[in-house]
Amino acid sequence: MSPYTSPSAAPRGLTFGMAAESYERFRPGYPDEVVERTLAFAGRDVKRAVEVGSGTGKATRAFASRNIHVTALEPDPDMFSVLRRETAGMPVVPVHTTFEAYAGPPTDLVFAAASWHWTDPGMRWGHTADLLVAGGVVAVFGSPLRIADPVVEAAATAAGAPTPVEATDPAPDRAGLAESGVFHDVEEHLLEREVVVSQRDYVGHLSTLSTFLDLRPDARHEALRRVASVLPAQVHLDLGVRLLLARRA
Protein backbone atom coordinates (compact mmCIF):
# COMPACT_ATOMS: atom_id res chain seq x y z
CA MET A 1 0.00 0.00 0.00
CA SER A 2 1.30 3.45 -0.85
CA PRO A 3 1.86 5.79 2.14
CA TYR A 4 -0.46 8.19 0.33
CA THR A 5 -3.37 5.77 0.39
CA SER A 6 -5.94 6.48 3.07
CA PRO A 7 -6.33 3.42 5.31
CA SER A 8 -10.05 4.00 5.56
CA ALA A 9 -10.63 4.95 1.91
CA ALA A 10 -13.23 7.41 3.23
CA PRO A 11 -15.67 8.99 0.77
CA ARG A 12 -14.89 12.44 -0.58
CA GLY A 13 -15.11 15.02 2.20
CA LEU A 14 -15.38 12.40 4.96
CA THR A 15 -11.74 12.01 5.95
CA PHE A 16 -11.80 14.64 8.68
CA GLY A 17 -13.71 12.66 11.31
CA MET A 18 -10.54 10.85 12.37
CA ALA A 19 -9.20 14.24 13.48
CA ALA A 20 -12.41 15.88 14.70
CA GLU A 21 -11.06 16.87 18.12
CA SER A 22 -7.83 18.20 16.61
CA TYR A 23 -9.88 20.10 14.04
CA GLU A 24 -11.74 21.85 16.85
CA ARG A 25 -8.53 22.44 18.79
CA PHE A 26 -6.24 23.70 16.03
CA ARG A 27 -8.33 25.14 13.20
CA PRO A 28 -8.76 28.92 13.59
CA GLY A 29 -12.20 30.45 13.76
CA TYR A 30 -13.42 33.31 11.58
CA PRO A 31 -13.25 37.04 12.34
CA ASP A 32 -16.42 38.97 13.15
CA GLU A 33 -15.88 40.93 9.93
CA VAL A 34 -17.02 37.91 7.90
CA VAL A 35 -20.41 37.99 9.62
CA GLU A 36 -20.61 41.78 9.51
CA ARG A 37 -19.86 41.97 5.76
CA THR A 38 -22.39 39.22 5.05
CA LEU A 39 -25.18 40.83 7.08
CA ALA A 40 -24.44 44.27 5.62
CA PHE A 41 -24.62 42.77 2.12
CA ALA A 42 -27.98 41.15 2.95
CA GLY A 43 -29.36 44.58 3.76
CA ARG A 44 -32.24 43.16 5.76
CA ASP A 45 -32.92 41.14 8.86
CA VAL A 46 -31.38 37.67 8.58
CA LYS A 47 -33.21 35.32 10.93
CA ARG A 48 -32.45 31.89 9.48
CA ALA A 49 -29.44 30.35 7.78
CA VAL A 50 -28.28 27.01 6.43
CA GLU A 51 -24.60 26.16 6.73
CA VAL A 52 -22.94 23.75 4.30
CA GLY A 53 -20.37 21.38 5.80
CA SER A 54 -20.29 22.85 9.30
CA GLY A 55 -17.39 20.77 10.59
CA THR A 56 -17.08 21.28 14.33
CA GLY A 57 -18.94 24.60 14.20
CA LYS A 58 -16.26 27.27 13.82
CA ALA A 59 -18.32 29.47 11.49
CA THR A 60 -21.61 28.17 12.93
CA ARG A 61 -20.91 29.82 16.26
CA ALA A 62 -19.92 33.11 14.65
CA PHE A 63 -23.32 33.45 12.94
CA ALA A 64 -25.38 31.92 15.74
CA SER A 65 -23.86 34.43 18.19
CA ARG A 66 -25.79 37.11 16.25
CA ASN A 67 -29.04 35.35 17.16
CA ILE A 68 -29.35 33.81 13.71
CA HIS A 69 -31.02 30.40 13.74
CA VAL A 70 -28.53 28.14 11.94
CA THR A 71 -29.36 24.76 10.45
CA ALA A 72 -25.88 23.24 10.41
CA LEU A 73 -25.34 20.43 7.88
CA GLU A 74 -22.47 18.00 8.49
CA PRO A 75 -22.09 14.54 6.90
CA ASP A 76 -19.19 13.15 8.94
CA PRO A 77 -20.46 11.41 12.11
CA ASP A 78 -17.44 12.30 14.27
CA MET A 79 -17.40 15.92 13.18
CA PHE A 80 -21.15 16.01 13.72
CA SER A 81 -20.72 14.80 17.29
CA VAL A 82 -18.29 17.63 18.08
CA LEU A 83 -20.52 20.14 16.27
CA ARG A 84 -23.49 19.16 18.40
CA ARG A 85 -21.45 19.45 21.59
CA GLU A 86 -19.85 22.80 20.71
CA THR A 87 -23.13 24.48 19.70
CA ALA A 88 -25.25 23.23 22.62
CA GLY A 89 -27.39 26.04 24.01
CA MET A 90 -27.06 28.16 20.86
CA PRO A 91 -29.76 28.74 18.21
CA VAL A 92 -28.32 25.89 16.13
CA VAL A 93 -29.94 22.71 14.79
CA PRO A 94 -27.20 20.29 13.69
CA VAL A 95 -28.36 17.96 10.89
CA HIS A 96 -26.35 14.87 9.99
CA THR A 97 -26.58 15.06 6.21
CA THR A 98 -24.89 16.25 3.06
CA PHE A 99 -25.73 19.54 1.41
CA GLU A 100 -26.95 17.72 -1.69
CA ALA A 101 -29.42 15.58 0.29
CA TYR A 102 -30.84 18.42 2.38
CA ALA A 103 -34.24 19.74 1.30
CA GLY A 104 -35.34 22.01 4.11
CA PRO A 105 -37.56 25.11 3.86
CA PRO A 106 -36.27 28.28 2.14
CA THR A 107 -33.96 30.37 4.28
CA ASP A 108 -32.49 33.88 4.34
CA LEU A 109 -28.84 32.85 4.06
CA VAL A 110 -26.79 29.88 2.88
CA PHE A 111 -23.13 29.96 3.90
CA ALA A 112 -20.12 27.68 3.61
CA ALA A 113 -16.78 28.02 5.39
CA ALA A 114 -13.89 26.15 3.75
CA SER A 115 -16.31 23.43 2.64
CA TRP A 116 -17.68 24.58 -0.72
CA HIS A 117 -15.10 22.58 -2.68
CA TRP A 118 -16.55 19.37 -1.21
CA THR A 119 -19.97 19.97 -2.76
CA ASP A 120 -21.11 18.68 -6.15
CA PRO A 121 -20.11 21.32 -8.77
CA GLY A 122 -22.98 20.29 -11.03
CA MET A 123 -25.68 21.16 -8.54
CA ARG A 124 -24.20 23.48 -5.92
CA TRP A 125 -25.56 26.79 -7.23
CA GLY A 126 -28.94 25.47 -8.36
CA HIS A 127 -29.50 23.73 -5.04
CA THR A 128 -28.42 26.85 -3.16
CA ALA A 129 -30.99 28.88 -5.07
CA ASP A 130 -33.66 26.32 -4.18
CA LEU A 131 -32.82 26.74 -0.49
CA LEU A 132 -33.02 30.55 -0.53
CA VAL A 133 -35.96 32.90 -0.35
CA ALA A 134 -36.17 35.53 -3.10
CA GLY A 135 -33.44 38.05 -2.40
CA GLY A 136 -31.70 35.61 -0.05
CA VAL A 137 -27.92 35.65 0.19
CA VAL A 138 -25.17 33.07 -0.30
CA ALA A 139 -21.79 33.57 1.40
CA VAL A 140 -18.84 31.33 0.57
CA PHE A 141 -15.56 31.93 2.34
CA GLY A 142 -12.27 30.32 3.23
CA SER A 143 -8.87 31.09 4.66
CA PRO A 144 -5.97 29.43 2.80
CA LEU A 145 -3.14 28.52 5.16
CA ARG A 146 -0.01 30.53 4.37
CA ILE A 147 3.18 31.13 6.33
CA ALA A 148 3.77 34.88 6.17
CA ASP A 149 7.59 34.65 6.17
CA PRO A 150 8.63 33.45 2.66
CA VAL A 151 11.90 31.94 3.95
CA VAL A 152 10.10 29.86 6.57
CA GLU A 153 7.40 28.94 4.06
CA ALA A 154 10.00 27.70 1.56
CA ALA A 155 11.69 25.59 4.24
CA ALA A 156 8.37 24.11 5.38
CA THR A 157 7.33 23.33 1.80
CA ALA A 158 10.65 21.63 1.12
CA ALA A 159 10.10 19.55 4.27
CA GLY A 160 6.68 18.43 3.06
CA ALA A 161 4.18 21.08 4.13
CA PRO A 162 1.45 21.63 1.52
CA THR A 163 1.30 24.77 -0.55
CA PRO A 164 -1.54 27.15 0.46
CA VAL A 165 -4.85 25.34 0.46
CA GLU A 166 -6.39 27.12 -2.51
CA ALA A 167 -9.40 24.77 -2.45
CA THR A 168 -10.77 26.95 0.34
CA ASP A 169 -10.69 29.98 -1.96
CA PRO A 170 -14.16 30.53 -3.48
CA ALA A 171 -12.89 32.68 -6.35
CA PRO A 172 -12.31 29.81 -8.82
CA ASP A 173 -16.03 29.03 -8.77
CA ARG A 174 -17.13 32.47 -9.98
CA ALA A 175 -17.84 31.04 -13.43
CA GLY A 176 -20.28 28.49 -12.04
CA LEU A 177 -22.02 31.24 -10.11
CA ALA A 178 -22.39 33.41 -13.20
CA GLU A 179 -23.56 30.49 -15.35
CA SER A 180 -26.30 29.58 -12.88
CA GLY A 181 -28.31 32.61 -14.00
CA VAL A 182 -30.09 32.89 -10.64
CA PHE A 183 -27.70 35.12 -8.69
CA HIS A 184 -26.71 38.76 -9.04
CA ASP A 185 -25.00 41.55 -7.07
CA VAL A 186 -21.87 39.39 -6.82
CA GLU A 187 -19.16 40.78 -4.53
CA GLU A 188 -15.74 39.53 -3.50
CA HIS A 189 -13.79 40.66 -0.45
CA LEU A 190 -10.35 39.91 0.95
CA LEU A 191 -10.31 40.38 4.71
CA GLU A 192 -6.70 40.65 5.81
CA ARG A 193 -5.67 38.78 8.93
CA GLU A 194 -2.31 37.75 10.38
CA VAL A 195 -1.89 35.58 13.45
CA VAL A 196 1.06 34.14 15.35
CA VAL A 197 0.83 30.56 16.57
CA SER A 198 3.22 28.21 18.29
CA GLN A 199 5.12 25.61 16.29
CA ARG A 200 2.99 22.93 17.96
CA ASP A 201 -0.28 24.63 17.01
CA TYR A 202 0.81 25.10 13.41
CA VAL A 203 1.76 21.43 13.11
CA GLY A 204 -1.52 20.56 14.83
CA HIS A 205 -3.33 22.53 12.15
CA LEU A 206 -1.43 20.67 9.44
CA SER A 207 -2.48 17.38 11.00
CA THR A 208 -6.13 18.23 10.25
CA LEU A 209 -5.54 18.75 6.51
CA SER A 210 -6.53 16.02 4.06
CA THR A 211 -2.96 16.10 2.70
CA PHE A 212 -1.82 14.46 5.94
CA LEU A 213 -5.00 12.62 6.91
CA ASP A 214 -4.71 10.59 3.71
CA LEU A 215 -1.33 9.21 4.84
CA ARG A 216 -0.87 6.04 6.86
CA PRO A 217 -0.37 6.92 10.57
CA ASP A 218 3.37 6.17 10.54
CA ALA A 219 3.92 8.18 7.36
CA ARG A 220 1.79 11.03 8.73
CA HIS A 221 3.83 11.18 11.94
CA GLU A 222 7.10 11.26 10.03
CA ALA A 223 5.85 13.91 7.56
CA LEU A 224 4.71 16.19 10.40
CA ARG A 225 7.97 15.62 12.27
CA ARG A 226 9.97 16.74 9.22
CA VAL A 227 7.95 19.93 8.91
CA ALA A 228 8.23 20.69 12.63
CA SER A 229 12.00 20.32 12.46
CA VAL A 230 12.40 23.37 10.19
CA LEU A 231 9.96 25.70 11.96
CA PRO A 232 10.74 28.46 14.47
CA ALA A 233 9.10 28.39 17.90
CA GLN A 234 6.53 30.95 16.73
CA VAL A 235 5.01 30.84 13.24
CA HIS A 236 3.53 33.92 11.61
CA LEU A 237 0.54 33.02 9.43
CA ASP A 238 -1.34 34.93 6.75
CA LEU A 239 -4.94 33.85 7.34
CA GLY A 240 -6.68 36.39 5.14
CA VAL A 241 -10.27 35.39 4.46
CA ARG A 242 -11.63 35.38 0.91
CA LEU A 243 -15.37 36.05 0.94
CA LEU A 244 -17.73 35.62 -2.03
CA LEU A 245 -21.24 37.05 -1.74
CA ALA A 246 -24.23 36.91 -4.08
CA ARG A 247 -27.97 37.46 -4.00
CA ARG A 248 -30.71 35.21 -5.34
CA ALA A 249 -32.62 36.96 -8.08
Side-chain angles (χ1 to χ4, degrees):
M1 177 187 289
S2 163
Y4 294 94
T5 300
S6 169
S8 62
R12 186 172 186 268
L14 296 182
T15 59
F16 299 103
M18 69 179 76
E21 294 293 348
S22 293
Y23 194 105
E24 174 60 25
R25 165 69 177 83
F26 295 113
R27 289 279 182 119
Y30 291 94
D32 289 341
E33 191 177 359
V34 171
V35 182
E36 292 163 0
R37 292 282 186 109
T38 301
L39 298 183
F41 177 80
R44 64 183 188 184
D45 193 18
V46 174
K47 296 180 179 179
R48 298 166 298 151
V50 169
E51 182 182 8
V52 179
S54 304
T56 63
K58 296 286 186 176
T60 319
R61 300 193 290 272
F63 281 88
S65 67
R66 303 299 183 93
N67 204 33
I68 297 172
H69 185 281
V70 180
T71 299
L73 314 180
E74 174 52 48
D76 184 283
D78 295 307
M79 298 286 273
F80 179 78
S81 178
V82 178
L83 168 68
R84 186 165 50 186
R85 181 191 74 206
E86 295 296 325
T87 57
M90 302 186 77
V92 176
V93 176
V95 180
H96 185 205
T97 187
T98 64
F99 165 66
E100 292 82 1
Y102 178 72
T107 190
D108 303 310
L109 168 68
V110 171
F111 68 95
S115 61
W116 200 237
H117 56 294
W118 295 118
T119 62
D120 181 350
M123 67 177 294
R124 58 175 55 135
W125 293 116
H127 191 45
T128 298
D130 291 340
L131 293 176
L132 286 170
V133 298
V137 168
V138 58
V140 178
F141 51 96
S143 188
L145 180 69
R146 290 186 176 90
I147 297 177
D149 185 328
V151 174
V152 176
E153 181 180 44
T157 301
T163 53
V165 187
E166 298 295 353
T168 64
D169 181 356
D173 199 38
R174 286 193 304 264
L177 175 60
E179 291 167 4
S180 71
V182 291
F183 290 94
H184 64 111
D185 295 343
V186 179
E187 291 186 5
E188 292 183 53
H189 302 270
L190 175 59
L191 313 180
E192 295 183 358
R193 177 176 58 154
E194 286 196 15
V195 300
V196 180
V197 300
S198 68
Q199 178 200 85
R200 179 185 177 187
D201 282 1
Y202 175 71
V203 174
H205 186 131
L206 290 182
S207 75
T208 70
L209 300 178
S210 57
T211 300
F212 293 97
L213 291 176
D214 286 342
L215 298 175
R216 291 198 317 257
D218 56 339
R220 183 187 315 134
H221 177 79
E222 175 59 23
L224 292 171
R225 185 200 64 77
R226 286 198 306 270
V227 175
S229 71
V230 302
L231 295 174
Q234 300 292 312
V235 183
H236 292 250
L237 299 178
D238 174 1
L239 288 177
V241 179
R242 295 184 181 276
L243 171 64
L244 179 66
L245 298 165
R247 196 183 319 277
R248 188 186 188 281

